[in-house]
Amino acid sequence: MADDGTPYPEFRLRLPGGGPEARGRLLTEKGTNGSQKFVVLAGSPGRSHVVPSFPARMPSAYRLRQRLIDEGILTESATWPGWLETTQDVECNSPSAAAEILVGRSANGWLEWKTSDGHPLSDYLDQVWWGPNRAWLVRGSNVSGLDLVPRLWLPEGLVTLQARHLRQGVEQGISKDRLRAAVEEDYGSTATYNQKVQLVEELHMFLSRMRPGDTMCTISAGRLYDGEITGDVEQIVSEDGRSDLRRPVDWVSDGHAYEDLPATLQQKLSAQHDVVDLTAVKDLIDGLGVSDEDLIEEAEAADRDPTMELPALTARRELELPEPTEELAAELLVHDMGWLREVRDLLWDERQLVLYGPPGTGKTYLALKLAEFLGGGPEQVKLVQFHPSYAYEDFFEGFRPQEDAETREVAFRLTAGPLRELADLASREGNRHIPHFLIIDEINRANLAKVFGELYFLLEYRNKSVRLTYSGDDFALPPNLFVIGTMNTADRSIALVDAAMRRRFAFVELSPRTEPTRGLLRRWLEREGKDSEPADLLDALNSRVDEPDFRIGPSYLMKKGVYREGGLERTWRTKILPLLEEHHYGEGLDVEKRYGLAALRESLG
């Protein structure tokens, strides 16, 4: 207990650049919105200027600072030249507001005010949920038909949660188990089982996981409003039962247009719950409405190392697909740079495409090489191959038998598939600006509607999320996840692909009749210093194949074994002619006479 009888010690705030220390005290008294007040003591120093973003980001603290300056309460210091100084005690609505009027930037007073031995103010508050500050979304635009955001939350500095049937006296920090028992008893037959499960999750977040200093968001009339939680939970009996649980929030008044928000943030905001944990995108929220220059100045004002990249700057780094290079074109033997640029642009615009064509046209090889180049390496590329028995549970997530390492018992556990694993990797903080690629080989060999399930929707609407079938999580495909499929048109005609897939994928043909495949073998032979006869033979063969989907690709003749003694004849006999025999099955055609090496060589003279 402090000398003045309050239960809190004196707190100090070191000003930027090794400046002097301000002093203050936390009061037990609460402000009009329920936040615990804080007093900046007379003789405390303050910065002489503010960062450019301060008026827009923290308008109430900025207005208070200006009023104090106008009234001579915060004035030029004789003790510390170049600094300001308080001439009397200044009572503020929260520790954060008290810090902000002194440092001239947004500040988390719960962490920045510290005792003389370095313990933050938050250590002296009764809290259950520890760790770094988090970010939250609480919906208030449709609470039993009313939009509480402009009616109650913004004007009174609150965020509320409807809990009409919850018993009085539920304390902050209640365990989920006790809360579950209370909800089961209090809501009885007024809510379904699933509604009660969701209610327990949302009430627990509001009562026990949120804490002062956390970022709070809400949406109203097409705008996202953000602010800082400044106090503890209060339970009241509201007149209409719409706002029984309350927390004080210092809102940023103007908000941000929803359509201008980053796609990753829109995905998180689209989750269909009343309370949503937004911590994964907190860095994006922190940077809203602030320029890169302002973020850097704020970091310098907070004495953070300017050589370290700021989380908010990292989060807003733009996703890019690199432009194809001459070196890539030479490696792939694609002489037409325009074709490579078109594929890159299609991926950027659509996020998914299919390379289709006859066998041997290098679809899988090209997909892998393009993905590794555009993604920056093989670590960002995952390949799966579809087949007739492939299902959603294999592709995304499902229950699979797994053996416990200790008991050796086998049980079914929810297991992530390759798409879920890659999506989780792509959406990690620090990875969102890095392209990641999923290669789906033989994409048309599976039942696509069965494999993709609700993910079909996400392929088209990347800024939305859906509720997953098994886990029940809200999931969205990250904007930096690209999908490249390969399709063998000799196995199943592209004409059989359903309209839903056509709408979601761009289709690029790789065929012996079109570039870059048409001249690929000849360019490869030239690079390898080999005779051009195999290219002449392949061109002659394909000129005799009427069906484009059954023309033979160059990959069969781009292997070392072909150019050993007798290799060309062996490859022709065991790889190429069997494909054509299957194509002409039942027609009575002499395949050897029409497509054999002897016949083709004779035709070439």
Side-chain angles (χ1 to χ4, degrees):
M1 182 174 288
D3 295 337
D4 60 359
T6 62
Y8 307 109
E10 181 179 278
F11 295 100
R12 302 181 182 186
L13 177 69
R14 173 70 64 182
L15 269 66
E21 273 189 337
R23 298 161 46 246
R25 290 198 178 279
L26 182 66
L27 303 181
T28 55
E29 178 188 357
K30 294 186 177 181
T32 54
N33 66 353
S35 174
Q36 219 163 328
K37 290 185 175 183
F38 191 93
V39 172
V40 178
L41 299 180
S44 290
R47 287 180 77 204
S48 59
H49 62 283
V50 301
V51 299
S53 61
F54 186 52
R57 294 191 76 182
M58 311 306 301
S60 58
Y62 174 73
R63 289 193 297 268
L64 174 58
R65 176 184 164 96
Q66 289 302 113
R67 180 172 64 80
L68 295 174
I69 291 174
D70 293 342
E71 294 176 1
I73 300 173
L74 186 60
T75 187
E76 290 185 13
S77 173
T79 309
W80 302 289
W83 299 86
L84 302 180
E85 183 178 345
T86 56
T87 58
Q88 63 184 57
D89 290 354
V90 178
E91 188 176 282
C92 302
N93 273 331
S94 70
S96 291
E100 287 162 356
I101 64 170
L102 297 178
V103 298
R105 58 169 174 80
S106 62
N108 186 340
W110 313 95
L111 299 178
E112 297 196 32
W113 286 105
K114 298 179 180 179
T115 59
S116 58
D117 53 357
H119 294 293
L121 183 151
S122 60
D123 285 0
Y124 296 85
L125 301 177
D126 292 331
Q127 298 180 77
V128 174
W129 196 265
W130 299 98
N133 284 112
R134 307 179 72 85
W136 307 92
L137 167 71
V138 179
R139 298 191 185 279
S141 60
N142 185 9
V143 182
S144 297
L146 289 182
D147 187 348
L148 297 184
V149 178
R151 291 168 176 256
L152 178 67
W153 294 10
L154 297 180
E156 297 193 23
L158 294 171
V159 62
T160 66
L161 196 64
Q162 184 173 353
R164 181 175 300 176
H165 301 291
L166 189 65
R167 66 192 62 182
Q168 288 294 307
V170 176
E171 71 274 16
Q172 177 172 290
I174 185 172
S175 70
K176 189 179 287 187
D177 185 61
R178 290 177 55 209
L179 188 58
R180 186 180 295 111
V183 168
E184 185 63 38
E185 182 177 341
D186 295 349
Y187 282 79
S189 60
T190 64
T192 65
Y193 171 79
N194 287 333
Q195 287 172 336
K196 285 185 239 182
V197 169
Q198 187 59 41
L199 186 60
V200 169
E201 292 295 326
E202 294 173 351
L203 288 172
H204 185 255
M205 285 189 277
F206 198 89
L207 288 164
S208 301
R209 296 185 61 186
M210 295 179 188
R211 62 173 181 165
D214 283 0
T215 299
M216 178 57 63
C217 298
T218 194
I219 302 170
S220 176
R223 299 189 73 78
L224 173 73
Y225 296 91
D226 63 302
E228 180 187 286
I229 299 176
T230 59
D232 297 333
V233 172
E234 179 186 12
Q235 185 179 19
I236 68 167
V237 180
S238 59
E239 293 182 4
D240 54 9
R242 290 183 171 93
S243 55
D244 310 289
L245 296 175
R246 301 184 171 199
R247 279 185 179 272
V249 173
D250 188 4
W251 293 105
V252 176
S253 57
D254 291 339
H256 313 277
Y258 189 90
E259 63 269 17
D260 296 336
L261 300 177
T264 305
L265 179 54
Q266 289 188 28
Q267 287 180 338
K268 290 291 185 182
L269 295 172
S270 68
Q272 297 303 304
H273 300 294
D274 288 337
V275 183
V276 181
D277 188 343
L278 297 179
T279 306
V281 290
K282 184 176 184 297
D283 294 335
L284 286 174
I285 299 169
D286 291 343
L288 290 176
V290 187
S291 68
D292 292 355
E293 293 75 16
D294 285 355
L295 286 172
I296 293 171
E297 185 169 343
E298 284 190 17
E300 292 172 345
D303 282 343
R304 291 197 289 270
D305 185 355
T307 63
M308 299 292 289
E309 191 162 14
L310 302 174
L313 286 178
T314 302
R316 66 168 54 167
R317 284 177 64 179
E318 292 290 336
L319 171 68
E320 293 182 353
L321 287 181
E323 287 289 335
T325 62
E326 295 289 347
E327 292 77 14
L328 175 67
E331 181 184 0
L332 298 178
L333 292 170
V334 175
H335 68 293
D336 184 0
M337 286 293 293
W339 186 88
L340 284 174
R341 293 192 188 97
E342 181 179 76
V343 172
R344 180 257 181 209
D345 292 344
L346 284 171
L347 276 169
W348 180 254
D349 293 337
E350 304 294 334
R351 291 299 193 271
Q352 48 265 342
L353 65 78
V354 169
L355 301 176
Y356 71 95
T361 47
K363 300 179 290 296
T364 305
Y365 175 84
L366 189 61
L368 283 168
K369 288 297 182 181
L370 277 172
E372 290 176 6
F373 171 80
L374 296 172
E379 299 83 3
Q380 283 73 250
V381 181
K382 184 182 286 286
L383 184 143
V384 298
Q385 188 174 62
F386 280 5
H387 50 77
S389 62
Y390 208 74
Y392 174 91
E393 292 78 7
D394 305 303
F395 185 51
F396 190 72
E397 69 176 13
F399 288 97
R400 301 176 193 170
Q402 291 186 1
E403 184 181 64
D404 187 279
E406 296 180 3
T407 65
R408 315 299 293 179
E409 293 181 353
V410 176
F412 282 89
R413 293 183 174 87
L414 188 63
T415 306
L419 177 58
R420 182 74 194 259
E421 289 176 345
L422 189 62
D424 290 345
L425 176 65
S427 59
R428 285 182 190 170
E429 290 182 84
N431 280 358
R432 295 181 189 132
H433 65 286
I434 301 173
H436 289 68
F437 287 83
L438 179 68
I439 310 297
I440 305 177
D441 202 27
E442 305 286 4
I443 191 172
N444 55 321
R445 295 188 65 209
N447 183 333
L448 295 179
K450 178 181 178 183
V451 171
F452 279 95
E454 67 268 23
L455 304 178
Y456 245 166
F457 172 82
L458 297 180
L459 290 173
E460 189 170 5
Y461 298 96
R462 288 295 187 102
N463 64 340
K464 301 291 184 182
S465 64
V466 296
R467 182 74 59 84
L468 296 175
T469 303
Y470 287 96
S471 64
D473 296 339
D474 288 294
F475 176 79
L477 283 175
N480 59 329
L481 177 58
F482 299 83
V483 180
I484 302 178
T486 69
M487 180 181 292
N488 185 347
T489 52
D491 177 47
R492 181 183 176 190
S493 173
I494 192 173
L496 300 179
V497 176
D498 65 30
M501 184 178 175
R502 285 182 176 277
R503 191 170 69 249
R504 289 162 172 81
F505 285 79
F507 286 79
V508 177
E509 183 179 19
L510 288 177
S511 169
R513 63 179 176 174
T514 60
E515 292 293 351
T517 309
R518 184 168 57 190
L520 182 62
L521 179 58
R522 197 172 299 278
R523 292 190 292 274
W524 183 81
L525 291 169
E526 182 180 346
R527 187 180 72 179
E528 298 296 315
K530 300 183 185 300
D531 187 78
S532 63
E533 185 199 27
D536 297 333
L537 291 168
L538 186 64
D539 289 345
L541 180 144
N542 282 327
S543 68
R544 299 185 178 197
V545 180
D546 297 328
E547 288 284 341
D549 289 341
F550 287 90
R551 289 175 182 168
I552 305 302
S555 298
Y556 292 103
L557 303 178
M558 295 172 65
K559 300 175 181 178
K560 290 182 179 180
V562 176
Y563 300 94
R564 293 199 297 265
E565 183 68 29
L568 179 60
E569 288 76 11
R570 184 169 54 251
T571 299
W572 212 270
R573 185 179 68 252
T574 62
K575 295 288 187 69
I576 294 176
L577 292 183
L579 286 173
L580 295 167
E581 285 175 357
E582 181 183 358
H583 173 47
H584 291 289
Y585 179 76
E587 296 179 10
L589 178 73
D590 188 337
V591 172
E592 177 68 34
K593 185 176 180 180
R594 182 176 175 87
Y595 301 115
L597 280 179
L600 294 173
R601 280 172 171 153
E602 182 180 350
S603 71
L604 292 173

